[in-house]
Amino acid sequence: MPRPAPGELLLKVTAAGVCHTDHQLMATPPDQFRHPLPFRLGHEAVGIVAEVGAGVVGVSEGDEVAVYGAWGCGRCRVCASGAENYCPHVRREGVLRPGLGGPGAMAEYMLVDRASHLVPLGGLEPVAAAALTDAGLSSYHAIHSEIDRLGPGATALVIGVGGLGHVGIQILRVLTAARVIAVDVSPAKLGLATALGADRVVLAEDDPQRVVDEMTGGVGADAIFDFVGAPATLDLAVAAVRIGGSVQIVGAGGGSIHVAPARVPFGVRIGVPFWGALPDLYDVIALARGGAISVTTTEFSLDDAPLAYAELEEGRILGRAIVVP
Ligand code: NAD
Ligand code: ZN
Ligand code: ZN
């Protein structure tokens, strides 16, 4: 049982999300980590404040909160803007984010470094809320940055309807007027995409580029959100994006885009968004509280967490697997 140092808080974890990034971490050779091993996974966390460290004000034992996990140094201009996910001092200062180097949420209890990283759940159920902190926040951030191009008549392409993608479709629906085309390798994931409001779904093997051409009169998609990031999906993104459009590479599936004249359409913006800013998490939680977005979940006990990871790897999780200690 960890004890909170001055300024820290101890949470009793009520739910933790199982993100595909965890698989990538588990597949990373030990010598490629720049922080000590082992560490505990779990970077999507909600919990109840169990103990408040000395000097912490404004948070009380019993508060139900979501954890903003993209901790920055907390003392620079970028962090002051709320975009701690892009703090340039994290590496140099050795900031360890929970579940990504520091002890994460796959446990009964976890420490949080400061009160501002806790966002009130406002009555949301823990299992429904856990994945908002990353699957929700990361897809929100990627989409929100491209919102100006997604007005009436625009077309958005979502590649990968997993944990992130299935929330992304809902965020596109509620924040933009764009038509949404969703691509996945799994018919079941595409069924979920349709249920969540995608206008058109297409299997990756069924020539998604043709569908984009059909729906856009050969112009291409205004914005593409690649939640896979594999070589094949990034090839699709480059082929399907319109001149002056946008490709946001969210998935870390090992693919890359050669950005140069004649290699991508002119005027294209390529982005590699990471997680989201602290104010964005308030927005995502507000959307969920208002019923505009929801996470499709499957629950696992903490003992069964390895099973959750296995099922995720086999493509059998619809939405997000959530571990409940
Ligand atoms: P997930 O496993 O829940 O979802 C991935 C989805 O992609 C699945 O539905 C799968 O069927 C589909 N898919 C796989 N190959 C495909 C292909 N070739 N074409 C179309 N669809 C395909 O994973 P997740 O937790 O949603 O994470 C998605 C990716 O995003 C991972 O690479 C993860 O590491 C990354 N990620 C990035 C950020 C960030 O901030 N940039 C945050 C969280 C996760
Ligand atoms: Zn994640
Ligand atoms: Zn900073």
Side-chain angles (χ1 to χ4, degrees):
M1 170 81 103
R3 297 295 307 276
E8 294 183 342
L9 299 100
L10 180 71
L11 286 195
K12 185 175 184 358
V13 178
T14 48
V18 174
C19 180
H20 210 117
T21 299
D22 295 343
H23 271 300
Q24 278 144 17
L25 289 169
M26 288 188 269
T28 302
D31 60 347
Q32 283 178 29
F33 286 89
R34 58 188 166 76
H35 40 67
L37 295 175
F39 69 92
R40 199 170 67 228
L41 293 174
H43 57 273
E44 293 186 340
V46 295
I48 298 174
V49 176
E51 192 178 342
V52 172
V56 173
V57 289
V59 180
S60 312
E61 275 179 37
D63 287 359
E64 297 203 48
V65 293
V67 178
Y68 174 76
W71 302 352
C73 75
R75 294 181 314 281
C76 73
R77 194 184 184 291
V78 178
C79 285
S81 79
E84 293 188 41
N85 52 320
Y86 294 136
C87 170
H89 306 297
V90 163
R91 187 170 298 209
R92 189 163 39 82
E93 298 210 359
V95 177
L96 293 181
R97 290 163 166 157
L100 297 171
M106 295 289 164
E108 287 87 357
Y109 290 89
M110 71 180 284
L111 288 172
V112 174
D113 63 343
R114 51 177 178 267
S116 62
H117 289 151
L118 300 180
V119 179
L121 277 191
L124 283 177
E125 288 299 317
V127 170
L132 298 173
T133 60
D134 171 31
L137 178 56
S138 298
S139 56
Y140 180 89
H141 169 48
I143 291 162
H144 198 263
S145 69
E146 304 309 304
I147 208 157
D148 289 348
R149 13 175 131 252
L150 294 172
T155 302
L157 178 65
V158 170
I159 305 175
V161 188
L164 272 70
H166 91 290
V167 185
I169 289 170
Q170 300 172 70
I171 289 171
L172 283 163
R173 269 275 153 274
V174 65
L175 294 189
T176 83
R179 292 172 305 177
V180 179
I181 307 173
V183 181
D184 203 290
V185 292
S186 149
K189 310 283 176 90
L190 292 181
L192 179 62
T194 302
L196 296 174
D199 297 283
R200 188 78 183 264
V201 299
V202 51
L203 279 169
E205 66 193 28
D206 286 348
D207 200 355
Q209 195 194 333
R210 179 185 49 77
V211 172
V212 172
D213 281 346
E214 238 174 70
M215 283 188 67
T216 62
V219 168
D222 296 87
I224 299 182
F225 303 99
D226 188 342
F227 295 111
V228 181
T233 60
L234 288 176
D235 287 350
L236 167 64
V238 169
V241 70
R242 67 175 288 167
I243 291 173
S246 163
V247 177
Q248 297 301 310
I249 309 170
V250 186
S256 60
I257 293 179
H258 185 139
V259 180
R263 298 301 288 262
V264 295
F266 282 118
V268 156
R269 183 182 123 105
I270 313 272
V272 282
F274 175 66
W275 221 329
L278 179 54
D280 293 342
L281 182 54
Y282 280 85
D283 293 354
V284 170
I285 286 177
L287 286 172
R289 289 183 64 198
I293 63 170
S294 65
V295 181
T296 298
T297 58
T298 310
E299 268 181 65
F300 293 83
S301 68
L302 190 52
D303 286 342
D304 282 342
L307 179 64
Y309 282 108
E311 290 201 7
L312 178 68
E313 192 65 347
E314 290 158 14
R316 286 197 278 127
I317 299 292
L318 213 50
R320 203 49 139 193
I322 306 293
V323 167
V324 179

